[in-house]
Amino acid sequence: MNQFLGVAGLALIILVAAFCVVAWLAIRSRNMQVWLGSYLRRRPRAAVKGPTHIMFCFVDHYEPAWGRVDLETQRRRVDRWHTGYPAMASRHRDADGRPPQHTFFYPEEEYLPEHLDKIAGLCAQGYGEIEIHLHHDNDTPENFCATISRFNELLHARHGALSRDPQTGQLRFGFIHGNWSLDNSRADGRWCGLNNELILLRELGCYADFTLPSAPSETQTRTINAIYYATDDPCCPKSHNTGTPVKVGGTASGDLMIVQGPLGLDWKRRRKLIMPRIENSDVRHSCPPTPERVDAWVRTGIHVEGRPDWIFIKIHTHGTQERDMDTLLGDPMHAMHDHLETTYNDGQRHVLHYVTSREMYNIIKAAEAGMQGNPARYRDFELPPPPGVARWTSPALSPDRATEAVADIPGME
């Protein structure tokens, strides 16, 4: 009997050890060891009195030439958005009577005036804004600065994009790094080349980076589900791995604000019925924006420290890939917005605000400055709208007047 128990115990130990090895290999295969500890140590958001305001921001790595396709294919992709986005977005409104906002992070290396003209047209109708995206490799500080400066001026002068800082006159922009490799964060050093990229971005006028989360890529940071200031170490890569949280009553510190989207584990969608999938805020055909995912984004509760009643949800996509457009411009997107507008916009427990990346940054800065009340009134708190974007009527107006203001925007019903 004792011998049997000994064999059974040994078998159990071997089984547990094998499971641990398999689990660790699965974790390593998706680079989860980088951030899993932070996820397990997360603290719940503090309880709030009154409604929770939700700032919902959809950013797009908008790449018409993805896959190195010909010009006609690029045109079809952009035209699909030019007609399909207003048709989708015009059916939805937030608490301020405003339609969903889409921030097009356009890649410098794919610039074609005709594509930007069409996207700028959407922005002029009140559907979003244009910001900066860049894929580069083995770059130099001199070339990087020249590239970004030239593209900034081109977007502003030709397409009415980007804001000028009211204090300095400098063009300001939001940034998403191509291939997730902000600040040279790949272990092999590919798809960037600059250990001082955060410093360079700050000097060029970048107001915040919106690249993360990047899981399961190795470029994902240890810091997750946060809004923070990162300080660059020009001698080392991935300086944004950690940083100083943005907090009420605080001041800007470090070199660049990092605005992250929700990152976690999805136990309802398991791989091989065992391992949870990674919830990384990505929206596409293979991971549609279901009500369950929306609920998870809200529960994550990303906020400025000391302001738990204002939460920020930033999700992302690669909008020009054909396999995903039916999701991004069709029924799954309607279902996402319907869920947001019915479940998280009752005016008692939740109030919904659709924002661009610039507006999200402005509201974050307003929270940092201790502003209170309806956060939507701070959409232009620090940086004004770009010249080519339809100005929004103050949300301080009555709901009826706000709805009238939407109707005044060209292209709106």
Side-chain angles (χ1 to χ4, degrees):
M1 183 65 175
N2 289 338
Q3 184 177 7
F4 173 77
L5 291 176
V7 172
L10 179 61
L12 180 61
I13 292 172
I14 293 174
L15 183 63
V16 170
F19 176 80
C20 291
V21 170
V22 171
W24 178 246
L25 291 175
I27 289 170
R28 293 281 301 186
S29 70
R30 293 184 285 171
N31 297 299
M32 291 170 59
Q33 76 282 358
V34 173
W35 57 271
L36 187 58
S38 298
Y39 177 74
L40 295 175
R41 291 190 298 270
R42 69 194 186 281
R43 295 179 296 175
R45 183 170 60 102
V48 302
K49 295 181 180 180
T52 295
H53 289 266
I54 297 173
M55 272 55 70
F56 189 85
C57 179
F58 204 152
V59 304
D60 193 341
H61 306 216
Y62 194 81
E63 303 164 5
W66 177 81
R68 299 181 180 181
V69 296
D70 59 25
L71 181 57
E72 286 306 312
T73 301
Q74 296 178 40
R75 286 171 173 162
R76 285 195 297 271
R77 290 171 170 177
V78 176
D79 286 344
R80 176 83 185 272
W81 275 85
H82 192 243
T83 58
Y85 192 79
M88 184 278 294
S90 63
R91 287 173 48 181
H92 300 278
R93 296 289 185 270
D94 66 6
D96 313 309
R98 199 173 191 223
Q101 298 294 295
H102 204 80
T103 306
F104 299 88
F105 282 79
Y106 197 95
E108 181 276 338
E109 71 279 1
E110 294 187 17
Y111 175 73
L112 277 177
E114 63 178 275
H115 297 341
L116 263 301
D117 286 343
K118 292 174 182 176
I119 298 305
L122 292 178
C123 298
Q125 294 177 60
Y127 291 115
E129 296 181 16
I130 297 168
E131 299 289 356
I132 305 293
H133 190 31
L134 180 69
H135 301 81
H136 61 153
D137 190 18
N138 195 31
D139 210 346
T140 66
E142 296 75 18
N143 182 70
F144 179 75
C145 290
T147 298
I148 295 295
S149 296
R150 181 175 60 249
F151 196 41
N152 282 354
E153 294 291 346
L154 182 61
L155 287 179
H156 184 74
R158 171 66 191 265
H159 305 287
L162 309 186
S163 303
R164 287 202 182 274
D165 191 301
Q167 304 300 320
T168 67
Q170 183 182 32
L171 286 176
R172 304 292 301 278
F173 64 97
F175 187 71
I176 287 180
H177 199 295
N179 302 303
W180 313 111
S181 303
L182 179 67
D183 202 47
N184 221 19
S185 53
R186 279 177 58 106
D188 62 6
R190 292 298 307 277
W191 312 120
C192 184
L194 304 173
N195 286 344
N196 63 335
E197 192 167 37
L198 305 185
I199 293 174
L200 296 177
L201 284 168
R202 171 178 55 79
E203 292 175 345
L204 288 163
C206 181
Y207 60 77
D209 177 84
F210 295 84
T211 303
L212 297 167
S214 61
S217 167
E218 64 183 331
T219 60
Q220 175 59 48
T221 55
R222 186 170 66 203
T223 301
I224 64 172
N225 298 327
I227 303 169
Y228 62 103
Y229 293 109
T231 299
D232 209 340
D233 180 348
C235 296
C236 298
K238 205 177 185 180
S239 297
H240 57 299
N241 200 34
T242 59
T244 303
V246 180
K247 61 183 63 178
V248 173
T251 57
S253 62
D255 292 298
L256 192 63
M257 180 188 288
I258 308 295
V259 180
Q260 298 185 330
L263 175 62
L265 299 177
D266 184 348
W267 291 93
K268 293 184 179 180
R269 297 184 305 140
R270 304 186 189 188
R271 299 168 63 92
K272 299 180 180 178
L273 303 179
I274 299 175
M275 292 296 293
R277 293 183 182 272
I278 295 174
E279 170 53 72
N280 61 1
S281 313
D282 190 12
V283 174
R284 58 181 65 207
H285 173 73
S286 59
C287 42
T290 61
E292 292 78 15
R293 292 188 71 197
V294 173
D295 295 342
W297 299 335
V298 174
R299 286 196 304 270
T300 301
I302 297 174
H303 62 280
V304 171
E305 286 194 2
R307 199 79 227 224
D309 55 331
W310 294 6
I311 66 174
F312 299 86
I313 299 174
K314 177 186 69 70
I315 61 174
H316 67 268
T317 192
H318 289 72
T320 60
Q321 299 178 20
E322 283 81 1
R323 62 192 176 193
D324 300 324
M325 288 194 203
D326 286 343
T327 296
L328 297 169
L329 299 173
D331 289 342
M333 194 59 60
H334 285 301
M336 181 193 77
H337 288 300
D338 286 342
H339 187 64
L340 281 166
E341 291 156 19
T342 56
T343 306
Y344 297 105
N345 198 32
D346 61 2
Q348 301 298 316
R349 297 184 62 232
H350 300 96
V351 182
L352 174 67
H353 310 284
Y354 292 130
V355 296
T356 65
S357 63
R358 177 191 61 85
E359 292 170 334
M360 178 172 273
Y361 166 79
N362 277 331
I363 296 172
I364 290 168
K365 294 298 289 185
E368 183 181 50
M371 298 294 107
Q372 300 182 17
N374 182 357
R377 70 181 62 176
Y378 305 117
R379 293 176 188 270
D380 305 326
F381 180 73
E382 184 176 289
L383 298 177
V389 171
R391 281 188 170 271
W392 182 245
T393 304
S394 171
L397 296 173
S398 68
D400 289 342
R401 180 63 189 93
T403 302
E404 292 171 9
V406 174
D408 291 340
I409 298 177
M412 295 297 177
E413 297 180 353

